[in-house]
Amino acid sequence: MTQTTHTKVLVIGLDAVDPQVLLDWCDSGCLPTLSAIRERGAWGLLETPTGMADDAVWASFSTCVSPAEHCRYHFRTVQPGSYQLRRFRRHHFNNPPFWEALSNGGKRVAIIDVPKSPATRELNGIEIRDWRVHGNEGTASSIPPELAEELFQRFGDDMTDRASGKEFLCGIPELTDSQRKDFFERLRRSIADKTTVAKELLSGGDWDLFLAVYKEGHCAGHQCWPPDADLKSIYRSLDGAVADLLQAVDQETTVIVFSNLGMRANHTGEHLLDKILQRLENLYASSWHGYRAAVDKLYHGVRSRLAIPATTSRYRSRLAFPVDFNEMSGAIRINQLVREPDGRIRPGADTERFTRFLETQLLALKDPDSDLPIVEQVLRSEDLFPGYVGEWLPDLFVVWNRSQPIVAATSPAVGIVSTGDSEVRPGNHIPGGIYFACGPTVEKTPCNASIVDIGPTIAALLGVCLDGETHDVIDSIGISLASNTTPDGSVTGLSGG
């Protein structure tokens, strides 16, 4: 059968609103709007890239591809051919956002604050970037440019997250009572500001796609774990914002509300990883390598104390070294010959042997007091992302066991490693999101999906094919494959709706 789609689509992102907490509070009646969408339509869990946090997940949402293709795993990423990390900017992406294809296909789109996503040069509609986002990329900008200027004049700077580049309240390990009160007042104001703007734009334009992301659940989750009354107040405010936006659309609009990640207690061994790797290297490597490492450490230590910049990386004589990443997982780069400027491990069999050694020894690490493992998984990028060639991502991700605080580690190979208590914010991410959807083509059927399915689903609902690629889309919203969209905008082979 053939059907031409005429629906409009409203998409609301609730950044890092925890799926289980969301479901529990829907069941208890605290979130009536989201509960009603779930009852009226479909919902499901969203798979996200394993071991990855918000930088990679938002990038995968907007580009509809894995981190192996878009290459963003953190806001600072590996610089190929160097030991340096670079700030990953919007123009570094290899892939455009899916809404660019919708715009090129003649659809009118409004995009508000999708974080960690590629730059859009031209758009049939509007886009607001870095206005109210968690971990902004810089000064707010927009298409057209005057829109961002107007928002700043009306609402001022973002007073929740890196205000004027100086504050990052959700990154503070422990807020004082006055800071906490101020923090939540700012969050509630931020929700109100975005809802005001979104309602104005919704009513003022004939949009095919209207997509807005709220960051406040993300910011609150970092400071409110375990969940408490303050977190519930933010979730309730977000539920109210969804209700306000629903009033601005008609019954023929397909509505998708989703969260990209969950939250749990921020128990991490990140502060132990470098020392653990050094001990494992000394066990694995020759005495000559140990001598070179000691000399290199002395060199960098002396120059640091003298405030003289080092001329080489302190990792140049290492077999492996940690790179910046989210606290949910440790990230390791193996110092390979050819790939790194001063590589030590030959690619191929030598790298494989060393990698297996690291995997075995990291999984053997335990908490000295409880005897529980401190590492849940050791993941290889080459296994997570088949076909990845190893230039841009860490080689290994060390997923920490989050069941209890990690203050030390022990194993027969490393002895006891401790660096003192780690000062981290109370909550941090776990993989996996959730979506709720309702509308004229949405079946009342639970259906799990992936974060990369949302863009193709939207495109299929609007009758646009994303560059001829075949993507899975969320079946319960009514379309089985985005590639079923034909050049004239019709959709063939609908599985539902």
Side-chain angles (χ1 to χ4, degrees):
M1 120 182 158
T2 300
Q3 176 180 334
T4 301
T5 57
H6 296 286
T7 189
K8 296 179 182 297
V9 184
L10 169 65
V11 182
I12 304 170
L14 305 178
D15 193 358
V17 164
D18 183 72
Q20 189 57 58
V21 173
L22 191 66
L23 291 173
D24 290 345
W25 287 345
C26 279
D27 291 341
S28 70
C30 291
L31 307 175
T33 307
L34 293 172
S35 182
I37 296 173
R38 182 180 64 164
E39 292 301 316
R40 175 183 162 194
W43 72 278
L45 300 179
L46 288 174
E47 181 183 6
T48 60
T50 307
M52 298 284 192
D54 51 318
D55 283 85
V57 172
W58 277 120
S60 290
F61 163 77
S62 59
T63 62
C64 308
V65 298
S66 82
E69 294 183 62
H70 63 64
C71 297
R72 178 165 183 152
Y73 67 92
H74 192 48
F75 68 89
R76 282 193 295 268
T77 58
V78 171
Q79 176 68 49
S82 168
Y83 294 103
Q84 305 303 311
L85 299 178
R86 72 170 183 180
R87 185 79 185 228
F88 198 104
R89 301 294 187 182
R90 293 183 181 274
H91 63 272
H92 290 143
F93 279 100
N94 296 322
N95 313 82
F98 68 83
W99 50 86
E100 189 171 290
L102 302 182
S103 174
N104 292 339
K107 303 301 177 181
R108 185 161 167 76
V109 303
I111 310 297
I112 304 177
D113 276 347
V114 180
K116 287 92 175 176
S117 298
T120 309
R121 296 182 180 179
E122 296 181 0
L123 205 63
N124 180 24
I126 63 168
E127 182 174 11
I128 301 169
R129 300 179 289 247
D130 290 318
W131 175 48
R132 297 282 190 269
V133 300
H134 175 80
N136 60 55
E137 304 281 313
T139 305
S141 61
S142 63
I143 300 174
E146 58 269 20
L147 181 55
E149 297 172 5
E150 178 187 341
L151 293 176
F152 185 83
Q153 291 173 359
R154 289 179 61 187
F155 300 100
D157 204 349
D158 182 351
M159 298 304 294
T160 303
D161 191 87
R162 292 181 180 162
S164 300
K166 298 176 181 179
E167 293 189 78
F168 195 22
L169 287 179
C170 73
I172 297 174
E174 187 174 357
L175 295 174
T176 65
D177 290 343
S178 62
Q179 284 177 323
R180 188 179 181 92
K181 180 181 179 181
D182 182 44
F183 180 55
F184 283 94
E185 288 176 353
R186 295 184 189 194
L187 288 177
R188 284 186 281 272
R189 172 47 53 193
S190 181
I191 294 171
D193 289 348
K194 183 163 290 183
T195 304
T196 295
V197 171
K199 288 173 64 178
E200 291 174 358
L201 292 173
L202 263 173
S203 62
D206 185 21
W207 310 107
D208 295 295
L209 168 64
F210 193 96
L211 166 57
V213 176
Y214 285 85
K215 69 161 184 182
E216 292 75 18
H218 188 152
C219 301
H222 279 311
Q223 286 294 339
C224 299
W225 210 266
D228 58 14
D230 284 330
L231 185 65
K232 183 177 288 188
S233 74
I234 296 303
Y235 279 35
R236 288 176 64 90
S237 294
L238 290 170
D239 187 81
V242 174
D244 286 344
L245 297 189
L246 290 181
Q247 292 177 0
V249 299
D250 59 32
Q251 293 295 313
E252 296 304 307
T253 300
T254 297
V255 177
I256 303 172
V257 183
F258 76 98
S259 171
N260 57 320
L261 285 168
M263 284 276 181
R264 287 298 180 272
N266 193 15
H267 301 324
T268 178
E270 192 75 5
H271 55 298
L272 304 174
L273 184 57
D274 194 23
K275 186 176 286 188
I276 290 169
L277 286 176
Q278 290 181 57
R279 293 195 183 182
L280 290 176
E281 288 180 32
N282 291 337
L283 179 66
Y284 187 86
S286 66
S287 58
W288 170 242
H289 175 270
Y291 170 76
R292 290 192 61 178
V295 171
D296 193 67
K297 182 178 180 180
L298 176 63
Y299 164 80
H300 284 86
V302 170
R303 294 188 73 101
S304 177
R305 285 191 292 273
L306 296 175
I308 303 172
T311 56
T312 64
S313 168
R314 65 190 181 95
Y315 293 135
R316 68 184 181 92
S317 66
R318 296 283 295 275
L319 300 184
F321 51 92
V323 294
D324 286 358
F325 192 52
N326 188 274
E327 294 146 358
M328 66 185 289
S329 304
I332 297 173
R333 185 84 165 173
I334 294 174
N335 196 11
Q336 281 192 20
L337 282 166
V338 181
R339 187 180 69 178
E340 269 71 46
D342 294 295
R344 295 286 178 261
I345 304 288
R346 286 191 293 269
D350 286 354
T351 292
E352 175 63 25
R353 188 180 306 112
F354 181 55
T355 300
R356 288 200 305 268
F357 168 79
L358 289 180
E359 290 169 332
T360 300
Q361 296 301 331
L362 290 167
L363 290 169
L365 294 167
K366 294 186 176 183
D367 177 83
D369 294 327
S370 68
D371 206 38
L372 291 174
I374 70 165
V375 175
E376 187 175 282
Q377 293 175 286
V378 181
L379 307 170
R380 301 188 188 193
S381 287
E382 64 183 7
D383 294 336
L384 293 173
F385 313 114
Y388 174 63
V389 296
E391 288 297 315
W392 293 93
L393 302 183
D395 296 304
L396 298 175
F397 292 95
V398 183
V399 182
W400 305 111
N401 179 358
R402 306 273 286 278
S403 63
Q404 65 178 24
I406 302 173
V407 297
T410 186
S411 75
V414 303
I416 296 179
V417 176
S418 176
T419 62
D421 293 340
S422 173
E423 293 188 358
V424 294
R425 51 204 172 177
N428 201 17
H429 304 295
I430 58 170
I434 193 170
Y435 78 92
F436 300 154
C438 63
T441 66
V442 178
E443 298 176 341
K444 191 176 178 180
T445 306
C447 177
N448 294 340
S450 166
I451 195 73
V452 300
D453 294 342
I454 297 178
T457 299
I458 295 167
L461 287 166
L462 296 176
V464 176
C465 184
L466 297 183
D467 299 324
E469 295 287 338
T470 298
H471 297 273
D472 291 333
V473 299
I474 303 173
D475 288 336
S476 60
I477 294 180
I479 303 169
S480 59
L481 286 175
S483 62
N484 290 344
T485 307
T486 60
D488 65 0
S490 63
V491 179
T492 62
L494 299 183
S495 64

